[in-house]
Amino acid sequence: MFPTLMLTAALGLGAEPSTEHVLIEILVVQGDPLGSRAEGTQKYVCQPKLTTMSGRAAYFRSGGEKAVVENGETKTIHIGTGVELLPTVQADGKVKLEMTARNTSFDNGERVMVERRDTRTVEYGTTFKKRLLAEAPDKQLWVEVTISKKDGK
């Protein structure tokens, strides 16, 4: 069973929205990158599909929330994995994808946040991986992203 997900599409800044829709399939995996789910050495944390328009950001969060005290104030922070993506369809039909992936956890009561940013231009149908955590082989966490064209109206 996957944890609760929050899926949202928001207006991207700095890019002209078009009517071209982009399907983004995301797979967040934890475990041994050389292993497999069948062997029990990998676990799918979540597997959302997002649809957004060129020039509009899409993001999701998987995990939960935790109340913490910082500077004498109590606030709620997200714990788990979050990915924000901004696809922009180029004139040549390729997709420029800006991605920010974050993982927030607690270790001995201290908040640990890892953030990875990536910008790349890809063709539709491309799948790529972005590593978030590289601890012991069985505790690695990474994001696999596949970009597809989705016909929109």
Side-chain angles (χ1 to χ4, degrees), residues 12-115:
L13 301 175
E16 280 298 312
S18 75
T19 58
E20 188 148 356
H21 287 74
V22 179
L23 174 64
I24 305 167
E25 296 178 62
I26 301 168
L27 177 59
V28 180
V29 185
Q30 184 174 23
D32 182 354
L34 301 176
S36 73
R37 210 171 148 196
E39 295 170 350
T41 57
Q42 290 183 353
K43 175 177 111 177
Y44 290 2
V45 177
C46 59
Q47 195 171 5
K49 292 182 182 183
L50 309 174
T51 301
T52 189
M53 292 175 33
S54 174
R56 291 190 181 232
Y59 68 93
F60 83 94
R61 294 191 308 183
S62 171
E65 295 181 332
K66 179 177 175 101
V68 297
V69 177
E70 288 183 355
N71 300 324
E73 293 185 31
T74 302
K75 65 181 192 176
T76 303
I77 62 165
H78 174 258
I79 299 172
T81 304
V83 179
E84 182 175 342
L85 303 124
L86 175 61
T88 306
V89 178
Q90 307 290 299
D92 62 1
K94 293 183 179 178
V95 180
K96 176 184 175 189
L97 183 67
E98 297 174 43
M99 179 176 85
T100 303
R102 292 180 188 88
N103 187 72
T104 305
S105 61
F106 277 81
D107 187 18
N108 294 324
E110 295 293 320
R111 180 169 52 167
V112 178
M113 186 168 86
V114 177
E115 181 174 285

